[in-house]
């Protein structure tokens, strides 16, 4: 008998009296998670339960008894707290926003991500990428962007970590109880749940759509765990980053193709799509396919129309961090799709390969995303550079620095990461406008905060961290049936008065979590110095399949169990948003030791800066832009060594030296009042220089200005008049491809003396024969600049040449180069297509260098 067909299901929801209905309204909008007053409201209901439910308001509400409701309603203080928070929410949702002043009402942006880290009670994230996506949505809400999020709703999410007595990581996968999460099931006009069928090889999979409200922003989450689906298909949304490549491609089909279908079904079809990493790149194909079908277009025509409206962000320079699929797997899962797109297998594979034709290249989702997006970017200045090198073959005939692959440096959502105490202090001295905009002038006012107040506010964070670490360590040991003596001893680890270093991140080997342990004797002396001791709090998960990562964790845990380190080193288990928050609010120093240049950006150091902690980091990712000499410390100068063992030795020594000679003395050099003035000066310059820059407010504004709005405008132009321009552009390019071979450069003449003075103008003339290509459809340009030691142009500029007016001289172009800098210069000539409405156009294969 099929038992599931006889099982009657029903859902019980908390039945709140109408006086308390506001609690539910607030709990269903994640806005509460960055509003201290709202957090305080839920905590007040039952502080113990609040902690036990991992700060989940719905679970707390669900377990309250009738008697509690009555006493709450009789509590005037509580009722006025509730109405205050509710008013605030209403006010937030209706206030004027940045986007209303700067945006465009026609844009509809969809942000796609495999994971979203919004709050610890909604565990559908694993780490940095998800947290960034969560912070992106929150700032998009604050700024009022017309943006929706699209992701997957995992039944088990990412694993939770606990450590056995040997320090070996164990993984557990608790089920997410959807009815205790702030999820709305999307319903259509008839009140039926929104669901649709998605084609997989040989079958259709049913997908349903949930919504999470993040302030003003809707986050749509897709779910295949439905009875009508086969067990293997129900697994698609079980775990984040679990399973093999086959499961991954199924998830990515769901996210990209399913995501676009869901939005269309909801009447929220976007015109700008942002792919947060390559996982969602299939969305570009679905946009093309659907346009081809609706308007009877060819692949190229539809691609021209869609590409302008796609934005892609890459997050890793680590090859293993990027999805690659073997062509066979694509045949199996996307075979029907190539045919729908009117592409041959060859043509389809070329979309996901840098260098099609090179043997055994696999299909790369990042390449697909870049080929089908007009805007691509890395996440810090250095990562932009590294990415251009890494992906140079996607744009085969452009010089590296000219690739359409720029950078937008990451940030953090300040309100989500600031401690309540620090927020209060900042409001007192900066006012409240810094909460809405990140202006330099406002942050300069940090200098007005009395040193003692800043110091004490930060110490409060350390006290809370120490308190939390003790409780957490106790609980860890109790779970493992440790001896009463051991459990008791957890009560005296750490000390809120001493210099506290934090190190928490994914235990991937390139992050070098054990670099600080390189010389244990020296570490021992630093930590146990009689007058100036130091302590370290570690946390972080290793991917379940990463044994090397787990080994690093084990080494740290075992060290922390040795008597001479026991009070000075603690490893906190189950690193998540909640643990991260305590850490970044309580540490004095945030240590970051990636192998340059493998950390694309990093964001936890930014969270620390907002709370007055200082960074000690390798010059990698964001810290290359953030470090100013007097706002934290750099380990090394950005050197890259060939010998890893040697590099580890040099860089661990550099850390010990910095600690012994600069950091520890600065921290313990106190005035008569016990305040370390030198240290607070560093804290202030760190806050002044970093806070206005490394926030998602700045970041999302930058995406809006530099990517979303240009993408929308481009998309609009191409789609206007029934896609006239898109169709024309595709056909025009096709025509040019047919004639391009006829084009040649006959002569180049520049009057170069041996030495040219700065500021001098160099006349240059060129003769070309265009073949059948009309002269009005090509641009002749000089790419010109200073040469580096390898003879490559750096920081080059493009100087357009103009046709010579003399009708006798058809095909002659001329112009002048201005030599604005000293040094060796070089120039290269190039001919590119020029479209009457779009100007110079780059298309692979349509460029002639001379
Ligand atoms: C901020 C954060 C990250 C990102 O950390 P980085 O190592 O700086 O990239 C990862 N996990 C959690 C829980 C975080 O809060």
């Amino acid at each position: 008998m099929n038992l599931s067909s006889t099982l009657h299901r029903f859902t019980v929801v908390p039945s709140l009296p109408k006086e308390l209905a506001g609690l539910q309204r607030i709990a269903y909008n994640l806005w509460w998670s960055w509003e201290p007053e709202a957090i305080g409201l839920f905590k007040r209901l039952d502080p113990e339960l609040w902690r036990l439910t991992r700060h989940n308001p719905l679970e707390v509400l669900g377990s309250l008894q009738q008697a509690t409701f009555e006493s709450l309603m009789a509590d005037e203080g509580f009722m006025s707290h509730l109405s205050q928070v509710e008013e605030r929410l209403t006010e937030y949702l209706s206030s004027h926003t940045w986007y209303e002043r700067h945006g465009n009402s026609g844009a509809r942006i969809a942000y796609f991500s495999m994971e979203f880290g919004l709050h610890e009670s909604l565990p559908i994230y694993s780490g940095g990428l998800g947290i960034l996506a969560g912070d992106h949505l929150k700032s998009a809400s604050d700024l009022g962007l017309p943006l929706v999020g699209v992701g997957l709703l995992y039944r088990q999410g990412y694993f939770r970590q606990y450590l056995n007595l040997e320090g070996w990581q164990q993984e557990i996968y608790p089920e997410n109880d959807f009815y205790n999460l702030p999820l709305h099931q999307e319903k259509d006009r008839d009140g039926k749940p929104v669901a649709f069928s998605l084609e997989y090889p040989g079958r259709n999979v049913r997908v349903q759509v949930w919504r999470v409200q993040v302030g003003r922003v809707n986050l749509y989450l897709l779910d295949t765990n439905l009875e009508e689906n086969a067990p293997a298909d129900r697994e698609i949304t079980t775990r984040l980053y679990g399973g093999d490549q086959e499961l991954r491609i199924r998830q990515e089909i769901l996210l990209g193709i399913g995501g676009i279908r869901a939005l269309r079904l909801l009447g929220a079809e976007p015109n700008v799509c942002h792919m947060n990493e390559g996982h969602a790149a299939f969305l570009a194909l679905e946009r093309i396919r659907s346009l081809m079908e609706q308007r009877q277009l060819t692949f190229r025509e539809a691609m021209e129309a869609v590409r302008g409206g796609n934005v892609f962000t890459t997050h890793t320079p680590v090859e293993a961090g990027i999805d690659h699929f073997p062509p066979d797997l694509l045949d199996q899962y996307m075979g029907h799709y190539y045919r729908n797109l009117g592409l041959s297998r060859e043509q389809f594979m070329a979309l996901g390969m840098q260098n099609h034709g090179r043997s055994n290249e696999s299909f790369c989702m990042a390449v697909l995303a870049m080929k089908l997006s007009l805007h691509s970017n890395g996440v810090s200045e250095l990562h932009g550079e590294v990415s251009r090198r890494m992906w140079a073959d996607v744009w085969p005939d452009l010089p590296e620095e000219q690739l359409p692959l720029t950078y937008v440096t990451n940030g953090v959502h300040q309100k989500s990461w600031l401690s309540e105490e620090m927020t209060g202090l900042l409001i007192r001295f900066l006012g409240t406008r810094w909460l809405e905009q990140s202006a330099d002038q406002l942050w300069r006012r940090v200098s007005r905060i009395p040193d003692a107040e800043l110091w004490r506010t930060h110490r409060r964070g350390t006290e809370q961290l120490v308190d939390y670490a003790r409780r957490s360590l106790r609980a860890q040991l109790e779970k493992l049936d440790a001896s009463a003596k051991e459990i008791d001893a957890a009560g005296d680890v750490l000390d809120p008065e001493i210099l506290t270093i934090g190190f928490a991140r994914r235990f991937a080997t390139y992050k070098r979590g054990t670099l600080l342990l390189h010389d244990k004797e020296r570490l021992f002396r630093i930590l146990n110095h009689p007058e100036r001791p130091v302590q370290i709090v570690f946390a972080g998960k290793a991917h379940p399949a990463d044994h090397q990562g787990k080994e690093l964790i084990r080494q740290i845990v075992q060290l922390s169990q040795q008597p001479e380190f026991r009070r000075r080193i603690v490893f906190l288990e189950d690193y998540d948003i909640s643990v991260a928050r305590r850490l970044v609010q309580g540490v004095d120093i945030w240590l970051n030791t990636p192998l340059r240049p493998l950390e694309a950006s990093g964001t936890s150091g930014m969270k620390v800066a907002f709370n007055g902690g200082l960074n000690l980091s390798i010059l990698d990712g964001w810290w290359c832009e953030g470090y100013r000499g007097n706002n934290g410390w750099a380990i090394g100068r950005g050197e890259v060594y060939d010998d890893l063992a040697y590099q580890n030795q040099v860089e661990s020594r550099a850390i010990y030296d910095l600690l012994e000679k600069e950091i520890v003395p600065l921290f313990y050099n106190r005035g008569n009042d016990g305040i370390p003035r030198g240290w607070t000066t560093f804290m202030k310059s760190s806050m002044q220089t970093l806070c206005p820059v490394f926030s998602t407010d700045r970041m999302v504004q930058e995406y809006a200005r530099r990517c979303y709005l240009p993408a929308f405008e481009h998309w609009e132009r191409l789609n206007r008049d029934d896609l006239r321009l898109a169709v024309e552009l595709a056909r025009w390019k096709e025509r040019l491809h047919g004639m391009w071979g006829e084009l040649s450069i006959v002569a180049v003449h520049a009057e170069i003396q041996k030495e040219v003075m700065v500021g001098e103008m160099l006349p240059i003339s060129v003769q070309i024969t265009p073949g059948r290509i009309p002269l009005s459809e090509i641009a002749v340009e000089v790419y010109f600049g200073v040469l580096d030691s390898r003879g490559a142009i750096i920081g080059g500029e493009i100087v357009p040449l103009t046709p010579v007016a003399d009708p006798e001289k058809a095909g002659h172009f001329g112009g002048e180069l201005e030599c604005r800098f000293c040094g060796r210069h070089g120039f290269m000539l190039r001919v590119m297509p020029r479209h009457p409405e779009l100007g110079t156009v780059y298309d692979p294969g349509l460029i002639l260098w001379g």
Side-chain angles (χ1 to χ4, degrees):
M1 193 171 83
N2 180 357
L3 275 178
S4 73
S5 62
T6 62
L7 180 67
H8 296 273
R9 293 177 175 76
F10 57 96
T11 307
V12 180
V13 295
S15 98
L16 293 176
K18 73 173 188 313
E19 292 84 347
L20 295 175
L23 285 169
Q24 196 139 338
R25 172 172 173 237
I26 300 162
Y28 270 99
N29 191 327
L30 281 170
W31 165 86
W32 69 261
S33 70
W34 66 88
E35 213 41 65
E37 271 200 64
I39 298 169
L41 183 72
F42 291 124
K43 187 172 173 184
R44 187 170 175 173
L45 291 170
D46 186 338
E48 184 60 15
L49 199 54
W50 180 243
R51 209 166 51 70
L52 288 174
T53 60
R54 271 215 283 187
H55 314 135
N56 182 341
L58 288 169
E59 225 177 314
V60 172
L61 290 179
S63 26
L64 295 183
Q65 304 296 320
Q66 194 60 34
T68 319
F69 294 150
E70 269 149 36
S71 72
L72 285 175
M73 286 188 292
D75 180 346
E76 240 175 82
F78 179 83
M79 293 309 285
S80 91
H81 189 172
L82 169 59
S83 64
Q84 237 171 46
V85 173
E86 238 201 312
E87 270 166 40
R88 263 203 124 114
L89 173 57
T90 306
E91 201 181 288
Y92 175 83
L93 295 175
S94 58
S95 59
H96 278 284
T97 64
W98 176 85
Y99 191 81
E100 284 169 343
R101 294 190 296 278
H102 298 93
N104 183 313
S105 58
R108 288 190 307 279
I109 308 153
Y111 180 91
F112 285 68
S113 178
M114 199 70 162
E115 45 170 320
F116 285 93
L118 290 154
H119 188 258
E120 57 268 24
S121 63
L122 187 59
I124 54 168
Y125 65 94
S126 97
L129 183 75
I131 310 280
L132 184 81
D135 282 3
H136 194 110
L137 296 193
K138 292 172 187 176
S139 276
S141 166
D142 291 343
L143 296 166
L145 258 64
L147 179 143
V148 299
V150 180
L152 305 185
L153 181 58
Y154 302 99
R155 195 156 52 80
Q156 297 179 337
Y158 201 59
F159 72 92
R160 296 195 64 178
Q161 174 198 53
Y162 75 94
L163 304 168
N164 69 15
L165 278 172
E166 280 73 53
W168 193 255
Q169 169 177 299
Q170 312 285 310
E171 295 106 29
I172 35 176
Y173 291 89
E175 296 274 320
N176 283 331
D177 175 3
F178 289 4
Y179 295 96
N180 272 321
L181 293 177
L183 299 169
H184 301 265
Q185 187 158 34
E186 284 297 89
K187 305 259 169 68
D188 63 17
R189 261 189 244 105
D190 306 326
K192 286 212 295 284
V194 170
F196 62 96
S197 293
L198 191 59
E199 216 178 310
Y200 280 81
R203 63 194 189 274
N204 280 321
V205 173
R206 204 72 192 145
V207 182
Q208 63 179 342
V209 187
W210 302 82
R211 171 169 53 87
V212 174
Q213 201 58 47
V214 185
R216 295 171 229 263
V217 166
N218 294 344
L219 166 60
Y220 297 109
L221 297 174
L222 309 181
D223 169 21
T224 63
N225 184 27
L226 288 165
E227 271 173 59
E228 52 263 56
N229 289 331
D233 293 326
R234 298 180 71 161
E235 292 294 307
I236 296 174
T237 51
T238 298
R239 287 181 188 174
L240 170 61
Y241 307 140
D244 54 8
Q245 275 187 318
E246 186 161 352
L247 182 61
R248 185 65 71 82
I249 200 171
R250 289 189 201 160
Q251 291 185 322
E252 297 190 359
I253 287 172
L254 178 63
L255 178 64
I257 301 176
I260 292 287
R261 299 251 177 106
L263 293 179
R264 205 178 298 138
L265 206 62
L266 292 162
E269 193 163 357
N271 39 40
V272 176
C273 288
H274 187 170
M275 309 171 208
N276 188 39
E277 204 37 275
H279 307 126
F282 288 140
L283 76 83
L285 297 175
E286 173 60 11
R287 293 186 79 184
I288 293 171
R289 191 205 58 78
S290 128
L291 203 58
M292 286 171 66
E293 184 184 275
Q294 282 168 35
R295 305 293 183 86
Q296 309 298 311
L297 301 180
T298 65
F299 178 82
R300 289 202 133 261
E301 291 162 352
M303 184 185 80
E304 290 296 349
V306 162
R307 203 167 58 122
N310 287 336
V311 176
F312 169 62
T313 302
T314 170
H315 290 266
T316 173
V318 184
E319 196 64 35
I322 293 165
D323 276 324
H324 287 264
F325 295 119
D328 301 353
L329 197 61
L330 283 156
D331 286 338
Q332 189 188 340
Y333 278 91
M334 298 295 282
H336 63 285
Y337 219 85
Y338 328 153
R339 290 186 287 278
N340 283 339
L341 292 172
L343 296 180
S344 67
R345 178 178 194 267
E346 279 277 282
Q347 288 169 320
F348 184 87
M349 292 301 166
L351 290 172
M353 294 186 183
Q354 285 211 61
N355 210 335
H356 189 47
R358 196 164 58 192
S359 62
N360 55 41
E361 192 177 339
S362 51
F363 188 94
C364 174
M365 294 298 280
V367 172
L368 178 67
M370 281 182 265
K371 289 194 173 176
L372 297 179
S373 301
L374 214 51
H375 294 259
S376 295
N377 68 276
V379 289
S380 69
E381 186 175 0
L382 177 63
H383 180 233
E385 222 174 89
V386 172
S387 300
R388 283 194 291 279
R389 213 166 308 142
M390 190 166 167
W391 302 112
D393 286 348
V394 175
W395 298 275
D397 31 31
L398 286 182
E400 211 166 276
E401 59 168 33
Q402 286 261 308
L403 302 186
L405 176 53
T406 57
Y407 71 94
V408 175
T409 304
N410 283 346
V412 297
H413 184 248
Q414 51 193 25
K415 282 199 230 176
S416 294
W417 297 103
L418 266 167
S419 74
E420 200 178 334
E421 289 80 6
M422 192 58 81
T423 307
L425 182 72
L426 290 172
I427 288 177
R428 268 202 296 135
F429 289 90
L430 275 61
T432 53
R433 273 200 304 143
W434 62 277
L435 292 164
E436 267 83 52
Q437 56 188 61
S438 28
D440 274 347
Q441 315 85 283
L442 293 175
W443 283 99
R444 270 193 227 127
R445 294 189 199 155
V446 163
S447 61
R448 300 182 192 168
I449 303 175
D451 293 328
E453 286 208 52
L454 183 60
W455 177 249
R456 288 203 195 95
T457 305
H458 189 258
R459 288 290 15 107
R460 279 287 298 143
T462 314
E463 280 164 25
Q464 285 164 8
L465 172 62
V466 168
D467 188 48
Y468 172 77
R470 289 175 179 167
R471 269 192 287 122
S472 155
L473 198 60
R474 262 187 94 89
Q476 254 166 259
L477 292 166
E478 278 167 3
K479 256 191 326 219
L480 296 173
D481 288 329
S483 69
K485 197 163 143 251
E486 281 173 297
I487 296 174
D488 235 28
D492 74 345
V493 298
L494 308 179
D495 176 341
E497 293 307 317
I498 73 184
L499 175 62
T500 307
I501 299 176
F503 182 99
R505 50 190 33 85
R506 197 154 48 83
F507 272 82
T509 32
Y510 79 85
K511 301 212 183 207
R512 295 189 293 179
T514 53
L515 193 62
L516 197 58
L517 275 44
H518 203 82
D519 179 346
K520 295 204 181 74
E521 266 173 50
R522 199 161 169 196
L523 180 65
F524 171 82
R525 288 198 301 274
I526 294 172
L527 300 192
N528 291 297
H529 189 283
E531 289 101 47
R532 308 185 309 197
V534 176
Q535 60 195 2
I536 317 170
V537 185
F538 285 96
K541 295 173 174 177
H543 187 278
D546 180 7
H547 277 254
Q548 267 179 308
K550 291 184 186 178
E551 175 55 28
L552 298 180
I553 295 176
R554 196 190 57 84
Q555 284 174 23
I556 296 169
V557 176
Q558 295 210 333
L559 193 70
S560 77
Q561 290 167 343
Q562 292 175 14
E564 66 271 32
F565 288 105
R566 193 187 63 78
R567 293 194 55 215
R568 298 279 186 256
I569 298 180
V570 169
F571 192 104
L572 297 176
E573 65 182 13
D574 202 22
Y575 185 48
D576 70 351
I577 292 180
S578 148
V579 177
R581 209 187 298 115
R582 312 231 183 217
L583 269 168
V584 299
Q585 293 174 359
V587 298
D588 297 299
I589 290 283
W590 190 254
L591 176 67
N592 191 21
T593 52
L595 210 49
R596 178 180 158 118
L598 301 184
E599 176 104 308
S601 165
T603 53
S604 34
M606 305 172 187
K607 303 168 192 168
V608 169
F610 274 95
N611 287 289
L614 299 175
N615 280 275
L616 165 59
S617 170
I618 300 283
L619 282 175
D620 194 9
W622 80 284
W623 193 231
C624 296
E625 291 157 68
Y627 177 60
R628 288 277 180 283
N630 64 347
N631 62 352
W633 291 272
I635 305 164
R637 294 199 190 81
E639 300 90 344
V640 174
Y641 302 81
D642 290 331
D643 179 350
L644 180 59
Y646 178 68
Q647 177 158 8
N648 287 346
Q649 190 184 350
V650 170
E651 294 183 340
S652 60
R653 261 196 218 145
I655 300 174
Y656 299 133
D657 284 344
L658 280 170
L659 283 171
E660 287 169 341
K661 300 199 179 103
E662 295 187 32
I663 300 173
V664 175
L666 192 69
F667 183 88
Y668 285 105
N669 182 8
R670 305 295 168 94
N672 290 336
D673 52 2
I675 308 299
R677 291 256 135 58
W679 190 271
T680 49
T681 307
F682 258 65
M683 285 171 80
K684 287 181 178 178
S685 48
S686 163
M687 294 173 89
Q688 287 171 324
T689 51
L690 305 177
C691 297
V693 182
F694 297 98
S695 73
T696 38
D697 276 4
R698 186 271 312 152
M699 181 190 85
V700 173
Q701 285 177 19
E702 218 176 309
Y703 274 111
R705 285 205 184 99
R706 288 179 40 207
C707 308
Y708 300 156
L709 291 170
F712 168 68
E713 279 152 22
H714 193 82
W715 177 91
E716 235 225 325
R717 282 177 79 183
L718 290 168
N719 280 266
R720 214 178 286 155
D721 310 330
D722 206 24
L723 296 127
R724 178 188 61 79
L725 196 51
V727 171
E728 189 186 304
L729 185 62
R731 293 187 184 160
W732 175 71
K733 279 185 185 173
E734 228 160 291
R735 217 171 53 237
L736 283 181
H737 272 284
M739 306 186 290
W740 200 252
E742 300 167 20
L743 185 73
S744 66
I745 296 171
V746 181
V748 182
H749 182 69
E751 281 164 34
I752 304 180
Q753 277 86 36
K754 271 232 176 63
E755 274 175 16
V756 180
M757 297 298 185
V758 169
E760 227 175 288
M761 304 298 280
L762 271 184
I764 180 164
S765 62
V766 177
Q767 189 190 351
I768 63 162
T769 54
R772 280 175 295 158
I773 306 170
L775 282 173
S776 62
E777 293 183 9
I778 50 176
V780 181
E781 299 174 336
V782 177
Y783 177 55
F784 164 71
V786 180
L787 297 178
D788 69 7
S789 57
R790 295 171 303 161
I793 293 176
I794 42 166
E797 57 177 321
I798 304 287
V799 181
L801 302 186
T802 46
V804 175
D806 185 349
E808 300 279 288
K809 292 192 151 186
H812 288 253
F813 289 75
E816 288 188 321
L817 308 180
E818 186 185 355
C819 302
R820 280 182 287 147
F821 305 99
C822 295
R824 285 199 59 72
H825 281 65
F827 73 84
M828 293 197 287
L829 190 72
R830 69 185 193 184
V831 185
M832 287 172 70
R834 188 176 62 204
H835 188 274
E837 287 179 59
L838 297 167
T840 309
V841 169
Y842 168 73
D843 202 59
L846 292 183
I847 184 164
L848 177 68
W849 289 94

